[in-house]
Amino acid sequence: MQIQAQRLRLPSTRLDGVCGIIAITRNPAAAGEQPLAGLLIDCLERLEYRGYDSAGIALLVGGMESDGADDATIWRIRAAVSTQSLQEIKKRVQSAPRPPRSDSAGIGHTRWATHGRPSEQNAHPHLDCTGNIAVVHNGIVENWRELAEELTASGHELASETDSEVIAHLIEDELRMDTGTQLHNNYMTTLEATRRALRRITGSFAIAVLDTRSNSSLVVARRLSPLVVGMGGGMCMAASDLPALLGLSGSYYVLEDGEIAEITPESIKAQDLDGQARTLHPIHVSWDIEAAQKSGYDDFMGKELHEQPTAVMDTLLGRFISDGKLALDETRITDDELREVDKVFIVGCGSSFHSGLVVKHALEHWTRIPTEIDISSEFRYRDPILSSSSLVIGVSQSGETMDTLQAIHLARRLNAKVLAVSNVVDSSITRQSDGVLYTRAGPEIGVAATKTFSTQIVTLQMLALYLAQLRGILYHDETSLIMDQLRDLPRLMQDALDRDEAVRAVAEDIAGQRDLFYIGRNTGYPVALEGALKMKEIAYLRAEAYPAGELKHGPIALIEPGTVVLAVATKGRLQKKMHTNISEVKSRGAKVIAVANDGDTGTAALADHVLYVPETVSLLAPVVDVIPLQLLAYHVARLRGCDVDRPRNLAKTVTVE
Ligand code: F6R
């Protein structure tokens, strides 16, 4: 299936957007019976499977139907009633006093909040000050704070808390600069104003722009976030994800990174962001809707596993702002309070607990603050010693896990500062904490955590860096250096994912086993724990993880000829000791599969199979090292005929104690 994704030439590290975008321009004569609002909603419904928290559409009304383009206005409907938002919009369209008659152009959006809580005010499309420009956006505007300040200073009024809204105002700004204060002019096209606006943005975007001046043409553009264009039947459509377009277009094109295009029902005029003309090449699409929803993977877990580099990249974007401050998403904790922290507790369940175990090493090393990691359901019953100088970090992908919520309630009762790390904006944990850092992994549909695990780790690492900087233990240039290493992780993760075939071959060799042992030391131990958890939950194999040095204190009695041992043996302070531990199990007949760095002949000489990964500094290595273990569990599960997306007895969110 991945081969088909390549044929589509979708960007390899980004197969799906966090938010859903649709843009349609159509020839009214060819429009048929269905009003454009209904068609936009239908297309967005095809993206519903991914989950969203709010939605909106904007249509060009008047203009072409009446007596000239200057009469055109934008008709916008937005709703924030979670996954009922599209139904709500449908109702409002039907009961609107004057249903939009325009059948020429419209844009729509389903939002998965990253900046600003889910609300109607934060839902897309966003308008500029004049109400003549509407924008939908998928991605992250990294420098939005600076841009928002700049725009506000020059008189713009921003109506939402989102990063996306600045794009509409930047386009307006470009048009204003061109003509003084007059917007409706013939001097600059929407394409040109958008191109100039986008050059002021750092970060990722896929956007669609509706401008009342442009008759039925729309402007679409992308950098890092995907955008697919479809044409046929008197329509041209653009969408963040292929399922929105399937069956509606005759030919499909992918906008390349850094391209912008003006689309009309009959034409696509593309440029790069420097204004050089570009030609879009058609792509072959053989997927049905179900395959397209999974980006051609057979299941969501496969897709999400492969989305990890992008998810990590998104999570890192724009977090350390210009003066070296960490941009917390919401905070009622001051820097002075953070400076006073004398003990950190990280609480979480399952993979979220493991991400805490990974980051303990970096946190203590960088900040010198004693750090304890607790399973949420244990923490709340163990009478922890907390005070106002304790920082309790609740880690929860869903933000709704009852045990973790109860753990942070206890922390608050005991006067500690509480910070949430979550993937779901406005989830319970974020509302009940003093500060929030969001992982920006996008919706995770597979029950087993993959991209949310890796993004939790980098989020916690950034927090650790910030604490170290605040306490004067690391200087700003040192944190910048580590941030650069963090920013290199998506590349290394992609490299690790590209070795999928080699992992699959090992999976075939071990799929018939009942019991597996995972060993690791230092940051390799939580990687072993996470690898074993994946194997248990999706392949139903008994997989136990041990700190490798602990083997001789008991577990080694279980090793017999043929026992499979997965050893996380990438480079680091304890690698030599890890080699000794591998020799201990080898000499008792174990079959050893090692995770090792490229070119590591020492480990290769000890192991039966090696799953190679690229090397990075050992404190940051877990998000790379875990990839072959995630892939291994995934392939073993599939070879054993298990449903990897819906493993037995498990729920994605555990809201009971
Ligand atoms: C493992 C997994 C679970 C969750 C755990 C916590 O793959 O998905 O172990 O990590 O249930 O869930 P959250 O992070 O939502 O609190």
Side-chain angles (χ1 to χ4, degrees), residues 205-472:
F205 54 79
I207 59 160
V209 183
L210 180 66
D211 182 345
T212 55
R213 301 172 316 145
S214 312
N215 287 331
S216 56
S217 71
L218 293 168
V219 173
V220 295
R222 68 162 284 241
R223 183 198 289 153
L224 298 174
S225 303
L227 203 69
V228 191
V229 180
M231 197 152 183
M235 288 197 288
C236 190
M237 314 169 81
S240 52
D241 311 292
L242 199 55
L245 305 187
L246 282 183
L248 297 168
S249 301
S251 42
Y252 299 90
Y253 309 82
V254 171
L255 222 58
E256 297 292 346
D257 212 35
E259 283 184 344
I260 182 167
E262 183 186 77
I263 59 171
T264 72
E266 294 85 23
S267 65
I268 306 171
K269 182 174 135 196
Q271 299 181 349
D272 61 20
L273 290 179
D274 293 324
Q276 298 299 314
R278 298 283 279 260
T279 309
L280 300 190
H281 300 286
I283 51 167
H284 173 70
V285 175
S286 57
W287 292 342
D288 59 17
I289 290 199
E290 202 195 324
Q293 288 179 337
K294 295 170 183 162
S295 294
Y297 291 92
D298 292 335
D299 35 61
F300 286 107
M301 185 184 173
K303 169 176 176 278
E304 287 156 4
L305 217 153
H306 285 269
E307 280 173 355
Q308 288 185 100
T310 313
V312 165
M313 189 186 73
D314 281 350
T315 299
L316 291 167
L317 273 179
R319 272 302 169 42
F320 266 88
I321 46 185
S322 44
D323 57 356
K325 275 177 82 72
L326 177 68
L328 284 165
D329 292 290
E330 288 164 30
T331 183
R332 291 165 286 280
I333 313 178
T334 64
D335 281 357
D336 283 339
E337 285 170 330
L338 285 177
R339 243 177 240 113
E340 294 307 310
V341 168
D342 59 13
K343 183 122 192 214
V344 173
F345 295 80
I346 302 181
V347 294
C349 306
S351 298
S352 297
F353 165 67
H354 294 162
S355 69
L357 288 177
V358 166
V359 178
K360 175 183 165 80
H361 295 265
L363 216 145
E364 290 192 328
H365 184 70
W366 292 334
T367 66
R368 311 308 300 153
I369 308 174
T371 302
E372 286 186 29
I373 317 297
D374 272 83
I375 291 178
S376 307
S377 54
E378 292 293 320
F379 179 79
R380 54 183 293 217
Y381 295 114
R382 77 164 172 84
D383 195 13
I385 303 165
L386 301 176
S387 71
S388 57
S389 51
S390 311
L391 176 67
V392 175
I393 306 173
V395 184
S396 175
Q397 181 284 127
S398 60
E400 304 295 345
T401 300
M402 180 57 76
D403 288 323
T404 306
L405 287 176
Q406 294 299 339
I408 64 147
H409 292 169
L410 172 69
R412 292 199 76 171
R413 273 204 305 282
L414 296 178
N415 230 1
K417 303 279 172 301
V418 174
L419 198 134
V421 170
S422 179
N423 195 40
V424 181
V425 174
D426 221 23
S427 53
S428 300
I429 199 170
T430 68
R431 281 184 267 113
Q432 294 162 21
S433 300
D434 299 305
V436 186
L437 268 174
Y438 288 112
T439 53
R440 300 184 190 137
E444 190 174 67
I445 298 173
V447 164
T450 49
K451 59 180 181 170
T452 54
F453 172 69
S454 42
T455 52
Q456 284 169 351
I457 293 174
V458 296
T459 304
L460 289 167
Q461 282 166 338
M462 285 190 288
L463 178 67
L465 281 179
Y466 187 53
L467 285 174
Q469 193 181 281
L470 274 182
R471 295 163 65 85

